[in-house]
């Protein structure tokens, strides 16, 4: 293996491509560093999160808002570590794993993460495919096949520069945010109930609720579906798109500082979107939880007076489908980028971009196409497939979190940017808790 291969930059075509002049004002610098956080935030509001959040609100009103808040805080901690690793070590999480861990462990982690990427892509394909089906009435199988074009769309966007991709993703995020703010305002939620929901309550673990309550299961589902393993690899790579003067320690510190600002601001937006999804479920669908367990049924419910009440209309349904399509398209961009990051980082070789992205998309499309071919336009079957993909992501999560915490807690790798001891202990505690919760989620889902 050549030295050039070993030293290849993560996403080399865009690595260090965005210049950030020194001496600019805080707001100007923040604007120039803003962008990678939006691509990361996409993973926290992808179609895989929608059903869990809306159904959680439909079942228990505002009870689980505190779980959404906790999940967002955990995400902020882990994503900050991932972005910091990329900037300081100048390698993404996949490259760092390949460099510092034994070969057998490296290949085992690669297989797990590739499967996790397939599961992530499933949510994007299903979400986009169903959205196209609902908006245009195309056959579901055809709508799913159309999503292959996303890969070539991204290839074209890459030639325009990374800032253009960031702008497109941010625009789609704002579209999703605007649509759900509008839907929630129309639904007239209980403001007092919302504020009370952000305070943890004993009912989350089933205390005080009827026997057989699914509150804990839904809470675990929200946590498990929120923190996505592929996002850690993505952030550790795209945090390197800003040009940093590594001869100047102050410039490295500046890059880490503004990466943290960017990440936390965008993840706050993701928190707002996920909260809006749950609030919408509580305000419009409470008492009808069994009727809105799939994307198509949510679409239908928004124009059903018996469920959505006086505000029901085809226009609201269309807005919902547009937001779903925007979410799927956003996730496609980040998912295909991560596929390239993972393959090049773990295996230390480089293939043409179009081949890597087409290969990862076809891997994800295969199970979806088989199900769509066998069951036709039965969206509920695809929704079940989506749920099980989220379960696998829960299983794969510890295989990304523990290496990330280990690397960012290693002074030889991170130097002065090593995690504080309290942060390390807290991160390991969070990783252990997430692992236990996800195991519980998997057992509950598979053996219910």
């Amino acid at each position: 293996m050549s030295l050039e291969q070993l030293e290849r930059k993560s996403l080399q075509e865009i690595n260090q491509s965005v210049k950030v002049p020194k001496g600019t004002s805080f707001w100007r610098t923040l604007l120039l560093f803003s962008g990678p956080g939006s691509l990361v935030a996409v993973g926290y509001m992808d179609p895989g999160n929608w059903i869990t959040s809306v159904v959680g609100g439909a079942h228990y009103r505002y009870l689980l808002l505190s779980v959404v808040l906790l999940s967002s805080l955990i995400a902020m901690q882990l994503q900050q570590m991932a972005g910091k690793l990329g900037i300081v070590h100048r390698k993404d999480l996949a490259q760092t794993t390949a460099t510092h861990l034994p070969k057998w462990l490296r290949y085992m982690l690669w297989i797990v993460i590739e499967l996790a990427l397939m599961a992530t892509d499933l949510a994007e394909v299903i979400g986009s495919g169903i959205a196209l089906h609902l908006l245009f009435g195309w056959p579901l199988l055809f709508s799913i096949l159309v999503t292959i074009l996303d890969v070539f769309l991204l290839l074209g966007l890459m030639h325009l520069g990374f800032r253009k991709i960031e702008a497109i993703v941010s625009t789609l995020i704002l579209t999703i945010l605007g649509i759900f703010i509008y839907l929630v305002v129309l639904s007239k939620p209980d403001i007092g109930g919302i504020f009370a929901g952000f305070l943890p309550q004993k009912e989350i673990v089933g205390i005080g609720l009827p026997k057989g309550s699914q509150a804990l299961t839904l809470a675990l589902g929200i946590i498990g579906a929120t923190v996505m393993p592929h996002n850690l690899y993505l952030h550790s790579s795209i945090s390197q798109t800003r040009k940093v003067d590594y001869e100047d320690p102050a410039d490295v510190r500046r890059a880490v500082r503004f990466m943290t600002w960017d990440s936390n601001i965008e993840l706050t937006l993701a928190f707002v979107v996920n909260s809006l999804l749950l609030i919408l479920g509580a305000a419009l669908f409470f008492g009808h939880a069994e009727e809105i367990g799939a994307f198509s049924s949510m679409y239908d419910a928004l124009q059903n007076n018996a469920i959505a009440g006086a505000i029901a209309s085809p226009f609201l349904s269309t807005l919902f489908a547009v937001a779903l399509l925007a979410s799927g398209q956003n996730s496609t961009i980040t998912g295909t980028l991560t596929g390239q990051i993972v393959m090049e980082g773990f295996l230390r070789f480089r293939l043409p971009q179009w081949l890597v992205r087409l290969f990862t998309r076809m891997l994800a499309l295969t199970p979806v196409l088989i199900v769509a071919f066998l069951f036709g336009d039965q969206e509920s079957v695809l929704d079940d497939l989506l749920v099980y993909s989220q379960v696998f992501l829960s299983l794969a999560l510890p295989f990304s979190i523990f290496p990330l915490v280990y690397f960012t807690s290693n002074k030889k790798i991170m130097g002065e940017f090593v995690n504080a001891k309290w942060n390390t202990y807290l991160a390991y505690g969070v990783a252990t808790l997430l692992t236990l919760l996800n195991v519980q989620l998997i057992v509950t889902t598979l053996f219910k």
Side-chain angles (χ1 to χ4, degrees):
M1 186 175 295
S2 70
L3 182 62
E4 187 271 336
Q5 284 177 305
L6 289 173
E7 295 181 345
R8 188 177 292 277
K9 303 294 185 183
S10 181
L11 292 179
Q12 182 159 309
E13 63 272 25
I14 56 174
N15 192 283
Q16 300 281 302
S17 64
V18 180
K19 295 181 179 180
V20 185
K22 298 180 183 180
T24 54
S25 68
F26 172 87
W27 295 109
R28 172 65 176 164
T29 305
L30 178 59
L31 179 63
L32 291 171
F33 271 98
S34 295
S38 62
L39 273 72
V40 170
V42 163
Y44 293 92
M45 58 179 89
D46 76 336
N49 292 328
W50 286 36
I51 289 180
T52 306
S53 296
V54 175
V55 171
H59 269 290
Y60 301 106
R61 302 202 73 181
Y62 309 106
L63 176 67
L64 300 179
L65 280 173
S66 60
V67 179
V68 175
L69 175 60
L70 175 63
S71 300
S72 299
L73 293 175
I74 291 172
M76 289 179 183
Q77 180 194 32
L78 295 176
Q79 293 298 161
Q80 194 274 343
M81 289 183 180
K84 182 175 67 172
L85 175 68
I87 293 172
V88 175
H89 194 44
R90 304 179 74 175
K91 293 180 180 179
D92 60 51
L93 182 55
Q95 292 172 322
T96 306
T97 300
T99 301
H100 295 282
L101 294 185
K103 184 177 290 187
W104 67 269
L105 182 55
R106 162 183 149 200
Y107 285 117
M108 184 194 79
L109 290 175
W110 172 67
I111 292 172
V112 171
I113 300 307
E114 284 291 353
L115 291 173
L117 280 172
M118 286 179 60
T120 301
D121 222 13
L122 274 175
E124 301 155 7
V125 169
I126 292 172
S128 295
I130 291 178
L132 291 171
H133 171 66
L134 293 174
L135 285 170
F136 303 110
W138 298 341
L140 190 56
L141 184 60
F142 175 75
S143 298
I144 290 170
L145 286 171
V146 168
T147 64
I148 296 176
L149 300 176
D150 297 340
V151 178
F152 300 101
L153 175 64
L154 178 61
L155 288 172
L157 291 175
M158 289 291 281
H159 291 294
L160 299 177
F162 195 64
R163 289 292 278 175
K164 299 293 192 305
I165 293 179
E166 293 171 346
I168 291 170
V169 168
S170 297
T171 300
L172 291 174
I173 288 176
L174 292 176
T175 299
I176 297 168
L177 179 64
I179 287 174
F180 280 112
I181 288 176
Y182 178 68
L183 292 176
V184 166
V185 169
L186 284 182
S187 68
K188 298 180 180 179
D190 177 3
I191 303 300
I194 292 173
F195 282 107
F198 285 118
L199 300 176
Q201 300 170 49
K202 64 181 184 300
E203 286 83 2
I204 292 175
V205 294
I207 299 175
L209 292 177
K211 187 176 180 180
S213 165
Q214 293 184 321
L216 180 58
T217 302
L218 285 171
L220 299 179
I222 289 172
I223 294 175
T226 298
V227 185
M228 308 287 278
H230 78 282
N231 260 342
L232 304 178
Y233 293 88
L234 175 68
H235 201 189
S236 63
S237 176
I238 61 177
S239 65
Q240 300 177 58
T241 55
R242 270 53 185 173
K243 190 169 183 62
V244 178
D245 180 5
Y246 284 94
E247 300 298 322
D248 181 4
D251 201 47
V252 180
R253 286 191 288 270
R254 181 184 71 150
V256 172
R257 176 190 174 202
F258 282 96
M259 173 277 299
T260 303
W261 272 100
D262 173 44
S263 177
N264 288 344
I265 289 171
E266 297 293 347
L267 289 177
T268 299
L269 283 179
F271 159 69
V272 171
V273 169
N274 285 322
S275 296
L276 290 171
L277 283 165
L278 194 144
I279 292 168
L280 183 68
L284 278 189
F285 304 135
F286 182 66
H288 300 278
E290 302 304 323
E291 302 172 54
I292 50 97
F295 290 129
S296 57
S297 56
M298 291 179 193
Y299 175 86
D300 293 335
L302 284 169
Q303 52 186 321
N304 185 338
N305 290 322
I307 298 177
I311 69 168
S313 73
F315 176 67
L316 295 187
S317 290
T318 300
L319 284 181
F320 176 84
V322 169
L324 180 61
L325 181 60
S327 177
Q329 293 307 295
N330 256 349
S331 299
T332 292
I333 292 173
T334 59
T336 50
L337 282 175
T338 309
Q340 180 181 347
I341 293 164
V342 167
M343 184 168 289
E344 292 181 358
F346 274 102
L347 301 186
R348 288 176 165 171
F349 67 80
R350 184 177 177 86
L351 294 173
Q353 293 177 39
W354 68 268
L355 183 60
V356 173
R357 288 166 184 158
L358 186 59
F359 176 71
T360 55
R361 173 47 58 93
M362 290 307 300
L363 283 177
L365 273 174
T366 301
V368 182
L369 289 174
I370 291 173
V371 171
F373 180 77
L374 292 177
F375 296 95
D377 285 357
Q378 297 181 38
E379 293 97 333
S380 60
V381 178
L382 287 178
D383 287 315
D384 289 339
L385 184 60
L386 188 150
V387 169
Y388 285 110
S389 75
Q390 299 305 299
V391 172
F392 181 79
L393 286 175
S394 298
L395 180 64
L397 186 58
F399 294 92
S400 299
I401 293 181
F402 281 104
L404 173 66
V405 178
Y406 170 74
F407 294 137
T408 54
S409 302
N410 188 323
K411 191 170 182 61
K412 291 182 179 179
I413 294 175
M414 300 301 294
E416 68 174 279
F417 298 95
V418 66
N419 295 335
K421 286 187 177 181
W422 67 266
N423 200 15
T424 297
Y425 296 144
L426 179 61
Y428 275 127
V430 164
T432 302
L433 177 62
L434 284 175
T435 301
L436 295 175
L437 292 179
N438 287 328
V439 168
Q440 175 64 28
L441 173 63
I442 291 163
V443 170
T444 303
T445 303
L446 296 181
F447 300 102
K448 61 182 178 181

